[in-house]
Structures are given as C-alpha cells and as structure tokens.
Amino acid sequence: MRRWRVAITDPMHARPAERLARFADPVLLPRGRDARFAALATSDALIVRTPVTEDEIAAGARLKLIVRHGAGLDFIPVALARARGILVASVPDANTEAVAEHVIGAVLAVARSFVELDRSVRAGDWSARNRTRGMQLNGKLLGVVGFGRIGRCVAQKAHAGLGMRIAAFDPKATGLPPHVERFESVDELLAAADVVTLHVPLDPATRGLISRKRIALMKRGSLLVNAARGSVIDEAALAEALVGSRIGGAAVDVFDTHPVPHDHPLLRAPNVLLTPHTASLTEDAYIAMGEGAVDEVERAWRGRPLLNPAA
C-alpha cells in the first residue's frame, strides 16, 4: 500500500509523530507561501494545529483528509474542503479535562487576585494584603455559556469541588444535570452570574457574542473567563470594564489576534490573567490530541470510516 504524505501545520508530540511515520511521510509545513503551497500540493492529508486558509486548501490538489489536532473546526475552511471532496475530522474529547482544569484554575486565580498579589510581594509591598478582598466561590453562581463537553466538565468540577451553583445557556444542550439551571437567554445569564465562563465554538452566531452592551449587563464585581475563541468577545470593551471596575476580573486564554499585539488594551487592564492559548496544552492532552489525529489519518489511509467526522 502506498505511503501517504501528511502535511502538519505545527510540530506534534514525539509519540504520535513516531506512529505516523510508520505508515506515512510527515512534512512540517514551511512558513513561506510558495514553499507551503508546494508542500500541500503533494500531500494526501493535513493535520491542523493552527489556522489554514482557503488558498492553502485549494493548493492541496490531492488532499483527501484534513484533521484538526484538537476540537474546534474554525481553524479549517470546512465548506471549501467538502466542496473539493476532502474529508474533515477532529479530536473532540482529547483536551476536555485539560481545558476544564485550566478554567477552574483561572477562576480561582482571578477571584483571589493571585497574579497581582504575587507581583506585590515580589515588589516588597506587603500592604497589598490590606487592599485586596477576594471573592469566595462557594455558593456563588457560575454561568456557563455553551454546555458541550468542556462546559459540562467545568460545571461538574465547580459544583462538586467548589460548591458553586451552576447556570447554563445553550439552546442546543439537552439532558442538563439536576443541579444546573437552564437560562433561556445569554443576557439573563450574564446579569445573574457571579462568574461567567465561555465554551462556544466560533461561528457567525457566536462572533461578538459578548459585546459591549452585554458586558454592561454583568454584575458589578463579577468575573469573566474566555478559553473558547478570542473573537467571541469584544476585547476592547472587556478592557474598559476592567479599568473602570465595572467587573471584578477576567481570565483570557484566546485572543482575536495571536500573538497579542504590544498595544492590546488588555495588557494594561487590572486583575486580568492572560495566557497564550495554552488551556488545552497539558502533556496528557498534547499526546491525546496527536494520537487522535494520527488515528483518523490511519483510518482514512486504510479506507476505514472516520471516528469523528465533521458534522
């Protein structure tokens, strides 16, 4: 059986990379446009960790499969791929625990101002303990926007581990656990929650979902966590709300532009924890995402049905 040539946008963990090399010839896509197009033109499959463009997919004349090294398909022009007869798959379960743990840690860090307190101690300012009164999370309402795999996992950990009450907004979600209150509108949830965490895919309906107007609905002193996609939230409006103490704090792992521009308003905002899109990047999840992507490539190579084809 002919070995496939498999293009990869970014390096994978060594373990799944070794598996891939047993039946395929992996090639890491170069950065230059012409060289990138040339590599795609001779590739049978593509594993995506960072976004690819429609032009890049169009250059893949013999592409048969595109696999997302992770869950979100917004990195892939799915409609174009389908129109060209290219299969699309993802690895939806591999990073659920990693992202949920990151969110819980971020909520705790922001609720208790860990970053600012750490900086104060390092600067010799012990008096920061007299200026900071953190939010105790037990009994507070966690509003989960998007109640899929990750949203449910966050809710379970927050309820069982921190004693938080849980509310969810997700018109598509069914079978909510008995301890989760369903809200019929995102506006109502934002107005009621003490902590809001976002877990929605990026699509036309969610782009700009958390707008300036909606941030203004949030309770004074409440917290906002975004480990979904940067474009779901109005970042400038969030920065203004933090500077004006309209909300109490935020944690942001994803941004409209990666890397973050040096003049980004959130860089100057108080009590905000900023991380470089690392919520899913534990060692365990990194391996699992790579293994899942290789599984899909091998199944397609052998002519077997995919495990997680794009819906």
Side-chain angles (χ1 to χ4, degrees):
M1 188 183 303
R2 182 180 70 84
R3 292 170 64 86
W4 271 13
R5 181 176 166 90
V6 179
I8 307 169
T9 61
D10 300 85
M12 298 170 59
H13 190 279
R15 188 187 302 175
E18 288 172 4
R19 267 192 59 212
L20 180 63
R22 293 173 194 165
F23 65 89
D25 298 318
V27 56
L28 184 63
L29 285 180
R31 295 302 175 192
R33 182 179 183 275
D34 291 345
R36 197 174 180 91
F37 282 13
L40 285 166
T42 58
S43 296
D44 299 282
L46 171 63
I47 296 176
V48 174
R49 279 192 60 200
T50 51
V52 292
T53 66
E54 290 190 351
D55 287 346
E56 289 172 338
I57 299 307
R62 74 182 202 193
L63 280 176
K64 303 170 186 64
L65 172 69
I66 303 174
V67 182
R68 171 73 169 95
H69 185 284
L73 290 173
D74 55 290
F75 283 9
I76 300 169
V78 176
L80 174 64
R82 285 175 171 160
R84 296 177 64 87
I86 302 170
L87 298 174
V88 179
S90 65
V91 188
D93 293 316
N95 61 10
T96 298
E97 287 288 340
V99 176
E101 288 180 6
H102 176 99
V103 169
I104 295 297
V107 170
L108 284 164
V110 175
R112 301 300 297 270
S113 302
F114 285 165
V115 173
E116 293 187 10
L117 291 173
D118 175 82
R119 290 172 180 165
S120 296
V121 171
R122 294 175 189 276
D125 181 11
W126 196 257
S127 66
R129 69 188 302 272
N130 300 319
R131 300 192 302 271
T132 303
R133 293 291 180 269
M135 177 191 291
Q136 186 166 303
L137 296 171
N138 181 63
K140 297 298 192 299
L141 182 64
L142 175 68
V144 184
V145 181
F147 211 68
R149 293 178 179 88
I150 295 174
R152 286 174 184 266
C153 191
V154 170
Q156 187 275 330
K157 293 179 186 298
H159 179 69
L162 298 174
M164 299 187 77
R165 297 178 294 120
I166 309 297
F169 169 76
D170 188 334
K172 299 178 181 178
T174 59
L176 268 59
H179 61 271
V180 177
E181 180 182 1
R182 181 189 293 275
F183 275 63
E184 298 303 324
S185 80
V186 68
D187 290 1
E188 292 175 351
L189 183 142
L190 290 173
D194 300 292
V195 182
V196 176
T197 180
L198 308 178
H199 300 288
V200 294
L202 180 61
D203 57 33
T206 61
R207 187 177 293 276
L209 178 69
I210 308 302
S211 61
R212 184 180 304 275
K213 180 179 178 181
R214 283 185 165 143
I215 291 173
L217 296 174
M218 294 177 67
K219 294 170 67 173
R220 187 168 293 277
S222 60
L223 312 178
L224 178 63
V225 179
N226 186 14
R229 287 291 183 264
S231 299
V232 168
I233 191 167
D234 183 333
E235 295 171 345
L238 173 59
E240 289 175 13
L242 290 164
V243 171
S245 299
R246 180 63 189 77
I247 65 173
V252 181
D253 185 57
V254 285
F255 302 85
D256 229 357
T257 302
H258 293 176
V260 177
H262 67 87
D263 59 348
H264 196 289
L266 283 173
L267 296 177
R268 301 183 297 277
N271 200 26
V272 57
L273 175 67
L274 307 177
T275 49
H277 199 176
T278 54
S280 65
L281 294 184
T282 62
E283 183 77 359
D284 304 86
Y286 189 32
I287 293 171
M289 287 186 285
E291 293 283 7
V294 172
D295 285 344
E296 296 289 36
V297 174
E298 184 171 10
R299 292 181 74 86
W301 176 65
R302 294 185 183 279
R304 297 173 181 170
L306 299 176
L307 294 172
N308 295 290

